[in-house]
Amino acid sequence: MQHVTVPQDRIGVVIGAGGETMREIEERANVRLDIDSESGSVAIEERDDPVAALVAPDIIKAIGRGFKPETALSILDHDLRTLDLIDLSEHTRNDNDLQRKKGRIIGENGRTRELLEELSGANVVVYGSTVGAVGQPEELEVVRRAVGMLLDGAPHGAVYSYLERMSNELDDDVSFNAPQ
């Protein structure tokens, strides 16, 4: 049995309307969830598919870190799709610094975060003191590098150029055409 703690304001999202999200996670990941609404603790008990059960904690963590349940459940759809969390508190000196750096990552009206998603192919959420990304390994690496650049103070234009370059490289890598 595994345990994951979810922030209090996200427990309702894990449960869903009438328990709908919880039941979908249980069914698709082949686990049983025991959710303590008071503490935010979620106990995850595997049923009969240990591989799917290994992914269940990441699904719960993803919802807890601000992802929509559909995005979190997409981890089950692809073998290599995973959750990556970047702890911003490791890169900041105090709360003011944390807020400033979160603002750089989110961008004006959320535009930088949207570009991170659009150009990397990963889903990206900034919540609390973390940046979460759900995607394939190469997409997550692009997000991690771009966020690192922003945290180090790189100009947004340089980060956007990097994202566009990597987006083109990722698009080129996904060529399924047989040689003729």
Side-chain angles (χ1 to χ4, degrees):
M1 183 175 298
Q2 300 180 61
H3 293 272
V4 175
T5 303
V6 175
Q8 200 65 44
D9 63 326
R10 298 293 295 172
I11 284 289
V13 182
V14 173
I15 296 170
E20 184 179 328
T21 303
M22 182 178 84
R23 281 192 301 278
E24 185 173 359
I25 294 168
E26 288 178 329
E27 183 180 307
R28 291 196 48 205
N30 210 2
V31 294
R32 188 175 129 23
L33 301 178
D34 185 14
I35 301 173
D36 182 344
S37 301
E38 298 296 314
S39 69
S41 176
V42 180
I44 305 163
E45 183 182 335
E46 97 177 39
R47 288 199 295 218
D48 52 324
D49 183 357
V51 176
L54 288 173
V55 177
D58 280 350
I59 294 169
I60 303 295
K61 282 181 201 168
I63 295 171
R65 297 316 309 158
F67 285 98
K68 294 177 183 173
E70 306 82 58
T71 302
L73 283 161
S74 74
I75 293 170
L76 288 168
D77 296 338
H78 307 285
D79 287 344
L80 296 176
R81 195 164 167 87
T82 57
L83 168 69
D84 187 19
L85 293 175
I86 302 167
D87 186 356
L88 299 177
S89 63
E90 294 175 0
H91 303 276
T92 57
R93 297 181 302 275
N94 54 39
D95 269 354
N96 286 342
D97 196 30
L98 174 65
Q99 294 308 317
R100 186 178 62 74
K101 289 187 177 184
K102 277 175 55 175
R104 285 183 54 76
I105 294 164
I106 294 168
E108 190 173 339
N109 297 320
R111 188 66 186 134
T112 301
R113 188 201 60 77
E114 286 174 8
L115 281 171
L116 269 170
E117 278 191 334
E118 193 177 303
L119 295 173
S120 72
N123 296 92
V124 179
V125 169
V126 179
Y127 178 87
S129 63
T130 61
V131 174
V134 171
Q136 304 287 352
E138 59 276 1
E139 296 168 345
L140 298 178
E141 185 55 40
V142 169
V143 170
R144 189 168 272 284
R145 176 102 192 271
V147 168
M149 291 170 72
L150 290 166
L151 291 173
D152 289 343
H156 280 79
V159 176
Y160 298 158
S161 294
Y162 165 74
L163 286 168
E164 287 176 4
R165 191 172 64 254
M166 295 312 292
S167 174
N168 291 335
E169 285 182 26
L170 289 174
D171 288 345
D172 290 344
D173 287 349
V174 185
S175 175
F176 296 106
N177 297 330
Q180 299 189 10

